[in-house]
Amino acid sequence: MEPDQEEHVQTVGVKAAISMLKFYKREISPLMPKSCRYVPSCSEYSMIAYKKYGVFKGTVLTAWRLCRCNPLGGSGFDPPRWFDEERVPEE
């Protein structure tokens, strides 16, 4: 995939995951304190990861992000990227 092309995976699994994330953002997230240390937020990161990489890789990346999003973890700009991809420079 070319870096400037945005391809989106549209499988049933991806659509189901995105639907669950939209429900979470609409119904559950507003009831909780804002605590994500990263940009994009963990739920936005997850949506992007599922759309870009599909269900398996999206789930792995989401789990990895959730493990890092804690007071002892990092913070800042952290877009989804698979482990062997180059880091996107911050603008």
Side-chain angles (χ1 to χ4, degrees):
M1 178 171 33
E2 295 293 322
D4 58 345
Q5 290 180 332
E6 287 291 324
E7 291 186 20
H8 295 295
V9 178
Q10 291 294 324
T11 64
V12 173
V14 168
K15 289 178 182 179
I18 299 295
S19 293
M20 289 187 285
L21 285 164
K22 286 181 180 178
F23 173 81
Y24 166 81
K25 288 185 66 154
R26 185 180 66 244
E27 303 295 332
I28 299 170
S29 182
L31 303 174
M32 302 174 71
K34 302 234 183 266
S35 62
C36 191
R37 305 171 54 81
Y38 291 100
V39 174
S41 69
C42 291
S43 57
E44 285 293 324
Y45 176 100
S46 184
M47 284 186 174
I48 296 167
Y50 280 116
K51 289 177 184 176
K52 186 173 180 182
Y53 297 106
V55 174
F56 178 75
K57 285 185 176 182
T59 300
V60 170
L61 289 172
T62 296
W64 177 238
R65 166 59 94 80
L66 292 173
C67 288
R68 293 181 287 132
C69 190
N70 64 69
L72 301 176
S75 64
F77 181 66
D78 180 37
R81 61 186 176 82
W82 193 243
F83 298 102
D84 61 351
E85 292 179 350
E86 288 186 32
R87 184 171 291 253
V88 177
E90 290 186 48
E91 293 182 19

